[in-house]
Amino acid sequence: MIRFLLLFSRQGKLRLQKWFTPITEREKKKITRDMTTMVLSRQPRSCNFLHWKDLKIIYKRYASLYFCLAIENGENELIALEVIHRYVELLDKYFGNVCELDIIFNFEKAYFILDEFLMGGEIQETSKQMVNRSIEASDMLQETMEEYMSKPAF
Amino acid sequence: MPAVSKGDGMRGLAVFISDIRNCKSKEAEVKRINKELANIRSKFKGDKALDGYSKKKYVCKLLFIFLLGHDIDFGHMEAVNLLSSNKYTEKQIGYLFISVLVNSNSDLISLINNGIKNDLASRNPTFMNLALHCIANVGSREMAEAFASQIPSILVAGDTMDSVKQSAALCLLRLNRTSPDLVPMGEWTARVVHLLNDQHLGVVTAATSLITTLAQKSPEDFRTSISLAVARLSRIVTSASIDLQDYTYYFVAAPWLSVKLLRLLQCYPPPEDAALRSRLTECLETILNKAQEPPKSKKVQHSNAKNAVLFEAIALIIHHDSEPTLLVRACNQLGQFLQHRETNLRYLALESMCTLASSEFSHEAVKTHIDTVINALKTERDVSVRQRAVDLLYAMCDRSNSKQIVAEMLSYLENADYSIREEIVLKVAILAEKYAVDYTWYVDTILNLIRIAGDHVSEEVWYRVIQIVINQDDVQGYAAKTVFEALQAPACHENLLKVGGYILGEFGNLIAGDPRSSPLVQFNLLHSKFHLCSVPTRALLLSAYIKFINLFPEVKPTIQDVLRSDSQLRNADVELQQRAIEYLRLSCIASTDILATVLEEMPPFPERESSILAKLKKKKGPGKVPDMDEARWNVNGNTEHSENTEPTNKAPSHPFTDLLNMNSSPAAGASLLVDVLSDLSSPAPTPTTGPGPGPTDVCEEHFSRFVCKNNGVIFENQLLQIGLKSEYRQNLGRIYVFYGNKTSSQFLSFSSSVTSSDTLKTQLNVHTMPVDPTVEGGAQLQQILNIECLSDFSDTPVLNVQFRYGGTLQNIAVKLPVMLNKFFQPTEMTSEDFFQRWKQLGVPQQEVQTIFKAQHPMDTDVTNAKVQKTASLYLKPLCGGGVGLILKCCNVSGFTTRETLNRSFNGSLNL
């Protein structure tokens, strides 16, 4: 099971956080601090895996953003690495050449896409087409709904 | 950029975000945020009702502010209102805000639940998905109570959309993790298993996650999933790479689903059905074969996905641990990865090989890679890879390669990263002890360890070397000589000084014959470093000095001078001052005999678990220490070593010890003395009233074994094993209770206490040391009970153990084998004295006689031995000729019982 996913910049600014288990705000801040210092201090060309407490930390850098995933011990590191990559692909597909700014200004969209992809710490849908289809469907839904609503009700 | 072009972008939000980004300082940011918060508050409080769009925008701003790390104390109500909007985006933002911000004890939960309920009932798949996501994200108990019974039916209903099925499966999984008691098992479980056959691979993936979690908790209920999972896996691995359309990821067919199916199979032993088993073996072979095929793409994603499946397959092979050919193939495959150019693969190969090393089938195969692993230790640039290499060396170590591995670890230690030094020190210390064939090597290794990484040598390590030197006669001279030499170095670590001080204090006499290490030289050497070290070390050295006074009377004046000096007698540290004063006084007034008694050589340490191993376990957490077969070693020679030492120093002191072992030789009159003493245990103590657990059955299954024995297993069930080691001296006793967690998961709120009947409380004092409330899976917890016998007693105390395992409270009560005979002490007296005392005992209650038929032929020696062992009695033939044996015993508190043991010709025994 995935415990949490963090996105942060090279300067250690947190851009997105998703916690799959209930954790207090204080603990969240502490973990975030630990993760950013740990991951940012890694040498280039090191491996993408770390042990941290009883969890495995899988991280990967895409341009200026670090994606950092915590999974339980005994889970598969390589597939977790591809969870990150698939999420990046989904963002890329939606925003078209995604960059850090897209995630800053459309953070709610980044959450919605993540929710289509992961749920309860497990992967929900691995097909890129499927995820995109449902994201687009909801965008469409809103447009038609809005058109509908803009008409006078009576 | 579709998101922006669609016109649903909230312009106000974008402006606010860019304002924040333009803030030059933290203060400016806080100022801007406070301004915005004031604005939003006034909008929410204003008289004018806000339209949906504004509400959505402000809630979204609040969310942004919260995610920046600021506290939000309003807006929750507005977010909940958004749930009932029929505009999708408004609803979506409402749910997002709640998922991120609402904690489970919020008073809004009933309103939120209401919104969710409406959306679940809407039959609109998009709305249903939002609601299910919210339940999974918040996952609180109230939500579980409200919806746990409804979700299974959504999951298995025939008309549910695929995407809703996926959400429902994972939502159920989440609720099962947080509130398992609220998720009802039932008719739906069988139908869930059949989702493994579903057409839609997304549904299968989600269902596999759910089934795996459920199967971990109740494997029997989901056993049917094995065959379905194997069939599904087989279809995936044999499919052409394009068959699965979008579920093919960089030319790898459904890697996520494959990994999940392989994990599901790891909940079970290898399938019993032969056909199924061979089908699974085929799958695993295909996966191993694919690893040898040339890659279909140069992209790293292709190799990652392919190898993810491969590693999971290897994990399953290791889990089954039954197919030698597969295990060896797995090992060879990992061997290839050890030299792969991808750091990730080298890391994972080292990690997986660690588990492979513990399988008997592949241990040898793993060992062949020793040179590669050692090379990794020397050349890897990444510290986490080097750490895995250390782990693997530790796991693959056995007698044949221990010297090489220990030497390599020691040399690596010189340059190792500070973060992992302590762990390496522990590992070296454990391996050196475990595989020591001669203890000189062990002593050398530990001293090297202190020299190289003294700061990282924890107390456990140097305590341990002292325990071993004290218990091993043959190494003491060598140890003294070696520490003496090591101390010659101009700068040596304080830990070395501690070991040196202790060992020379005990065994300095063994090397004193050599003029180069005469007593005075030894003393001067130690004392030259005295002023440089910390208070605890100085205290230890003072004790070494007083021991010197006993060992070498000729240095007494010199040492007395040192003790007498102001820097000792008036030392600011109270402990040092007290030691100096007491030792000085002792050396002045005590006679040589008294000194020799007081300062006698330390007795051997009792057998105990290696404290180092315990520390390593604690450091790494449960399951991280590769199983070292015997968790508990004997200080007097561990199992590996015992073959060598057994004949010399472990020879049983009594030739009948083995006959007395009532477990192993039931035929040899085992029940004899148990019968005699059975009345000791018959008045079964009722668990007392008071805070103890309810009426649990008191286990006394193994109780009678302990009549003669002091050590052994007193209780065992599927979860827990309780072992005892007891020592008695006069009226005092100490019991070490070992609680072994036999499961792989934690015991929570663990507690144990001893209860005695009211009468027993006045007769026997039992003091319980507190224990940790959690026992990790596979770990062992030790508890010490101190017992004081105040007067004679016949009841038995009861050990009550309580803990929580997998949500249920376990109550165990065990009769503690504390019996009066444990406190008996032998006395020797002439027959005249004996009969004189015998005659004084005239009161009827003071004499008990039982006559019974012996079940076995009687032999004086054997009987003697048994009675001695049982009751610690001193047995002496008085009248000779086998007519009668009389014995008498006293317990320490002065209460006298007398028993006669009369062996008559017809073979009956009177007691």
Side-chain angles (χ1 to χ4, degrees):
Chain A
M1 177 198 178
I2 300 170
R3 293 287 191 86
F4 57 81
L5 168 72
L6 301 178
L7 267 66
F8 47 83
S9 69
R10 269 158 67 192
Q11 293 76 34
K13 281 246 180 206
L14 191 60
R15 295 302 181 204
L16 189 116
Q17 44 176 320
K18 180 80 185 176
W19 309 87
F20 293 102
T21 48
I23 303 181
T24 61
E25 287 306 317
R26 234 178 98 194
E27 236 173 311
K28 284 181 189 171
K29 281 187 180 143
K30 189 178 173 307
I31 294 174
T32 310
R33 212 165 40 235
D34 282 5
M35 288 303 123
T36 43
T37 44
M38 225 167 66
V39 170
L40 292 174
S41 65
R42 296 276 290 168
Q43 301 288 320
R45 292 210 288 141
S46 297
C47 73
N48 297 87
F49 317 127
L50 289 169
H51 276 249
W52 181 76
K53 298 196 176 165
D54 60 339
L55 298 178
K56 289 176 181 172
I57 307 299
I58 317 300
Y59 71 93
K60 189 160 185 182
R61 185 179 148 183
Y62 287 87
S64 59
L65 264 191
Y66 282 91
F67 289 68
C68 172
L69 200 66
I71 56 173
E72 283 170 2
N73 233 320
E75 293 206 33
N76 196 307
E77 290 99 337
L78 285 174
I79 207 77
L81 202 53
E82 294 318 296
V83 167
I84 294 178
H85 187 76
R86 175 71 5 143
Y87 182 48
V88 173
E89 286 184 347
L90 291 169
L91 292 173
D92 205 57
K93 183 92 193 267
Y94 184 80
F95 289 109
N97 237 338
V98 66
C99 67
E100 195 182 336
L101 279 181
D102 290 322
I103 294 172
I104 295 171
F105 280 95
N106 301 286
F107 70 96
E108 80 283 8
K109 290 284 176 201
Y111 276 105
F112 298 150
I113 296 170
L114 188 62
D115 273 347
E116 290 295 330
F117 176 48
L118 300 178
M119 180 171 172
E122 299 288 346
I123 199 144
Q124 177 177 211
E125 180 52 85
T126 62
S127 156
K128 199 155 63 170
Q129 283 172 15
M130 289 288 183
V131 175
N132 276 317
R133 212 175 291 156
S134 49
I135 296 280
E136 268 158 33
S138 56
D139 277 346
M140 292 298 288
L141 183 71
Q142 150 225 323
E143 283 204 348
T144 47
M145 197 71 95
E146 253 161 6
E147 281 161 25
Y148 171 78
M149 290 304 287
S150 60
K151 287 174 190 161
F154 47 90
Chain B
M1 301 226 289
V4 186
S5 65
K6 278 178 187 158
D8 69 317
M10 291 167 272
R11 198 155 158 264
L13 178 67
V15 169
F16 174 59
I17 293 176
S18 65
D19 277 3
I20 295 285
R21 283 178 53 77
N22 290 333
C23 285
K24 294 278 185 290
S25 66
K26 194 78 198 163
E27 291 73 37
E29 184 185 306
V30 171
K31 212 174 148 198
R32 177 70 184 87
I33 284 171
N34 284 337
K35 185 180 155 204
E36 191 64 38
L37 285 175
N39 172 39
I40 299 172
R41 205 175 263 127
S42 73
K43 296 279 187 210
F44 282 167
K45 280 200 180 140
D47 305 329
K48 216 173 77 191
L50 286 175
D51 61 7
Y53 171 81
S54 315
K55 220 186 264 174
K56 174 180 93 170
K57 184 179 72 187
Y58 294 130
V59 166
C60 212
K61 279 182 178 175
L62 286 177
L63 188 56
F64 181 79
I65 293 170
F66 177 78
L67 289 172
L68 276 180
H70 301 268
D71 286 338
I72 295 295
D73 54 6
F74 69 101
H76 301 70
M77 198 58 208
E78 284 73 14
V80 174
N81 285 341
L82 285 176
L83 297 190
S84 51
S85 162
N86 50 4
K87 280 199 187 176
Y88 181 73
T89 45
E90 288 168 18
K91 208 186 259 295
Q92 204 179 18
I93 295 286
Y95 274 122
L96 180 61
F97 184 92
I98 287 161
S99 303
V100 176
L101 254 123
V102 170
N103 45 17
S104 46
N105 54 8
S106 164
D107 24 330
L108 292 173
I109 226 77
S110 61
L111 285 173
I112 297 170
N113 278 357
N114 204 31
I116 292 175
K117 206 168 126 200
N118 290 337
D119 282 332
L120 280 185
S122 71
R123 309 199 61 76
N124 175 335
T126 347
F127 288 5
M128 286 173 88
N129 276 340
L130 278 180
L132 289 168
H133 268 113
C134 183
I135 300 173
N137 276 323
V138 179
S140 70
R141 231 184 135 71
E142 291 88 341
M143 284 196 179
E145 276 164 5
F147 303 108
S149 54
Q150 193 184 348
I151 297 169
S153 49
I154 297 178
L155 175 60
V156 296
D159 57 347
T160 307
M161 298 266 296
D162 288 334
S163 68
V164 179
K165 270 189 199 163
Q166 283 165 275
S167 305
L170 294 178
C171 184
L172 202 54
L173 163 59
R174 174 67 205 276
L175 292 185
N176 185 276
R177 278 189 185 136
T178 49
S179 328
D181 51 318
L182 293 179
V183 178
M185 290 293 159
E187 175 260 346
W188 62 275
T189 48
R191 297 175 65 182
V192 154
V193 173
H194 283 280
L195 289 179
L196 290 176
N197 270 336
D198 202 282
Q199 297 251 306
H200 189 288
L201 283 191
V203 173
V204 184
T205 311
T208 311
S209 297
L210 174 63
I211 294 166
T212 307
T213 306
L214 296 174
Q216 278 161 354
K217 287 182 182 160
S218 44
E220 279 315 308
D221 296 343
F222 294 89
R223 199 164 273 282
T224 45
S225 63
I226 305 176
S227 58
L228 294 175
V230 172
R232 192 92 221 191
L233 184 67
S234 160
R235 264 180 284 160
I236 295 172
V237 296
T238 53
S239 67
S241 55
I242 41 154
D243 283 1
L244 304 173
Q245 295 155 354
D246 205 36
Y247 289 91
T248 300
Y249 181 82
Y250 291 87
F251 303 102
V252 182
W256 278 280
L257 180 54
S258 308
V259 167
K260 287 204 178 292
L261 290 169
L262 288 162
R263 280 194 74 76
L264 170 58
L265 291 171
Q266 285 171 59
C267 299
Y268 294 97
E272 278 151 24
D273 177 60
L276 192 59
R277 195 175 169 141
S278 75
R279 195 162 181 202
L280 177 58
T281 307
E282 248 169 60
C283 286
L284 295 171
E285 275 169 350
T286 314
I287 295 172
L288 285 167
N289 291 341
K290 279 189 180 170
Q292 300 301 327
E293 288 170 11
K296 294 196 176 78
S297 155
K298 284 210 172 73
K299 287 248 163 79
V300 68
Q301 283 75 26
H302 170 69
S303 95
N304 279 352
K306 187 168 138 183
N307 292 325
V309 178
L310 178 61
F311 273 105
E312 207 58 57
I314 291 175
L316 180 62
I317 292 169
I318 297 172
H319 169 80
H320 284 170
D321 198 15
S322 61
E323 300 266 356
T325 40
L326 284 178
L327 280 162
V328 171
R329 278 195 72 181
C331 185
N332 293 339
Q333 181 60 55
L334 295 177
Q336 283 182 21
F337 284 149
L338 285 182
Q339 287 165 323
H340 202 278
R341 61 187 167 75
E342 273 272 332
T343 317
N344 285 344
L345 290 179
R346 296 198 300 276
Y347 174 98
L348 294 174
L350 288 166
E351 191 178 59
S352 259
M353 262 203 185
C354 266
T355 43
L356 213 47
S358 55
S359 160
E360 52 170 325
F361 299 116
S362 50
H363 183 78
E364 288 303 316
V366 171
K367 273 168 63 186
T368 58
H369 299 287
I370 185 166
D371 293 330
T372 321
V373 182
I374 287 172
N375 195 41
L377 198 58
K378 289 177 179 156
T379 55
E380 282 291 348
R381 293 150 42 103
D382 182 352
V383 54
S384 38
V385 184
R386 292 198 297 270
Q387 189 164 4
R388 293 288 87 77
V390 173
D391 287 349
L392 179 53
L393 283 179
Y394 179 74
M396 68 160 71
C397 190
D398 63 17
R399 229 185 210 177
S400 68
N401 55 20
S402 56
K403 289 225 158 138
Q404 186 189 5
I405 286 178
V406 166
E408 290 296 345
M409 282 194 179
L410 272 177
S411 82
Y412 171 60
L413 194 54
E414 308 227 18
N415 312 309
D417 311 72
Y418 287 98
S419 54
I420 59 173
R421 279 195 182 190
E422 190 185 352
E423 200 186 307
I424 299 176
V425 167
L426 292 174
K427 287 186 165 151
V428 171
I430 289 169
L431 293 178
E433 180 185 336
K434 188 168 186 217
Y435 298 110
V437 178
D438 65 310
Y439 278 102
T440 57
W441 176 68
Y442 171 74
V443 169
D444 287 342
T445 307
I446 301 293
L447 291 184
N448 259 330
L449 210 51
I450 296 176
R451 184 178 56 75
I452 297 169
D455 286 339
H456 302 273
V457 172
S458 53
E459 298 206 314
E460 287 84 353
V461 174
W462 73 262
Y463 288 171
R464 190 74 182 160
V465 68
I466 285 170
Q467 285 170 13
I468 287 180
V469 169
I470 283 177
N471 288 26
Q472 301 292 331
D473 299 342
D474 46 345
V475 79
Q476 290 161 355
Y478 180 80
K481 183 165 162 285
T482 320
V483 290
F484 178 77
E485 278 161 10
L487 285 171
Q488 307 282 345
C492 57
H493 196 272
E494 197 168 324
N495 279 334
L496 181 65
L497 199 56
K498 287 178 185 161
V499 175
Y502 202 105
I503 288 181
L504 291 181
E506 294 292 330
F507 309 114
N509 55 328
L510 299 176
I511 55 167
D514 187 333
R516 283 168 298 176
S517 52
S518 70
L520 196 60
V521 175
Q522 287 186 36
F523 171 73
N524 285 337
L525 180 62
L526 287 179
H527 198 57
S528 67
K529 321 223 179 228
F530 184 89
H531 300 283
L532 300 171
C533 47
S534 64
V535 169
T537 310
R538 283 198 227 175
L540 187 152
L541 286 178
L542 287 179
S543 299
Y545 295 170
I546 187 73
K547 289 233 163 189
F548 270 14
I549 291 184
N550 174 44
L551 290 179
F552 317 118
E554 65 266 38
V555 296
K556 184 170 169 179
T558 322
I559 294 178
Q560 281 178 330
D561 283 347
V562 168
L563 293 176
R564 206 174 279 129
S565 71
D566 276 359
S567 62
Q568 308 300 346
L569 282 188
R570 300 189 178 182
N571 195 295
D573 185 87
V574 68
E575 174 69 27
L576 291 182
Q577 196 185 71
Q578 189 171 359
R579 283 196 191 204
I581 292 170
E582 285 175 2
Y583 290 161
L584 180 61
R585 197 76 195 124
L586 181 67
S587 73
C588 293
I589 58 166
S591 69
T592 338
D593 283 354
I594 293 177
L595 267 187
T597 316
V598 173
L599 303 170
E600 203 185 357
E601 187 181 307
M602 290 294 283
F605 285 87
E607 175 191 335
R608 61 175 74 157
E609 178 177 8
S610 162
S611 47
I612 316 178
L613 196 61
K615 175 151 181 160
L616 184 65
K617 276 185 191 158
K618 204 168 174 179
K619 215 174 148 55
K620 296 285 269 186
K624 288 304 290 175
V625 183
D627 210 10
M628 299 290 277
D629 306 331
E630 58 287 307
R632 288 161 39 67
W633 305 332
N634 184 349
V635 210
N636 299 314
N638 51 57
T639 44
E640 285 278 337
H641 191 60
S642 56
E643 296 120 70
N644 309 330
T645 52
E646 190 110 46
T648 53
N649 62 1
K650 284 190 76 187
S653 55
H654 198 289
F656 300 106
T657 318
D658 52 340
L659 286 174
L660 292 163
N661 188 335
M662 299 206 157
N663 300 323
S664 58
S665 55
S671 56
L672 193 64
L673 284 159
V674 179
D675 286 346
V676 178
L677 292 169
S678 61
D679 54 332
L680 278 180
S681 55
S682 56
T686 40
T688 48
T689 52
T696 25
D697 288 339
V698 179
C699 168
E700 46 185 292
E701 195 185 341
H702 303 296
F703 182 81
S704 54
R705 284 186 193 174
F706 285 82
V707 173
C708 287
K709 288 173 56 178
N710 280 338
N711 306 332
V713 172
I714 184 80
F715 175 84
E716 181 153 15
N717 66 8
Q718 291 181 329
L719 306 175
L720 180 74
Q721 185 190 57
I722 305 179
L724 301 181
K725 268 180 64 65
S726 13
E727 302 161 0
Y728 294 91
R729 187 166 293 176
Q730 300 192 336
N731 64 327
L732 300 176
R734 173 171 288 180
I735 302 184
Y736 298 90
V737 189
F738 297 95
Y739 303 97
N741 180 347
K742 293 167 70 180
T743 69
S744 56
S745 43
Q746 278 188 332
F747 291 164
L748 295 171
S749 1
F750 188 93
S751 72
S752 69
S753 59
V754 175
T755 48
S756 313
S757 64
D758 290 341
T759 349
L760 188 58
K761 273 181 195 152
T762 63
Q763 298 160 337
L764 196 70
N765 254 343
V766 183
H767 181 69
T768 328
M769 299 287 181
V771 287
D772 268 0
T774 50
V775 188
E776 301 294 337
Q780 198 180 50
L781 184 77
Q782 182 188 330
Q783 186 179 32
I784 299 177
L785 310 178
N786 287 321
I787 296 162
E788 186 187 5
C789 173
L790 303 171
S791 75
D792 66 305
F793 63 95
S794 54
D795 275 1
T796 326
V798 176
L799 177 70
N800 297 297
V801 184
Q802 264 188 318
F803 58 90
R804 199 170 275 285
Y805 168 72
T808 49
L809 193 65
Q810 308 279 336
N811 257 329
I812 292 165
V814 184
K815 249 168 115 176
L816 265 185
V818 180
M819 307 148 202
L820 189 58
N821 66 317
K822 304 284 184 193
F823 301 97
F824 286 171
Q825 282 212 301
T827 316
E828 195 168 355
M829 59 178 76
T830 62
S831 54
E832 281 164 38
D833 293 343
F834 175 75
F835 280 110
Q836 204 179 342
R837 293 189 69 173
W838 175 268
K839 284 178 190 128
Q840 288 165 5
L841 303 167
V843 190
Q845 298 98 312
Q846 285 177 322
E847 188 166 334
V848 182
Q849 192 171 62
T850 317
I851 301 179
F852 54 89
K853 238 341 186 229
Q855 287 161 326
H856 303 278
M858 302 204 18
D859 174 53
T860 321
D861 285 342
V862 175
T863 317
N864 274 4
K866 273 185 187 156
V867 174
Q868 244 178 12
K869 183 85 175 178
T870 320
S872 308
L873 298 175
Y874 193 79
L875 191 66
K876 193 176 175 188
L878 290 169
C879 311
V883 175
L885 297 163
I886 299 180
L887 59 92
K888 172 175 173 61
C889 65
C890 300
N891 83 351
V892 282
S893 56
F895 173 85
T896 310
T897 56
R898 73 181 193 186
E899 293 163 45
T900 55
L901 184 70
N902 196 330
R903 208 189 73 166
S904 54
F905 294 109
N906 65 2
S908 71
L909 185 70
N910 299 340
L911 183 74

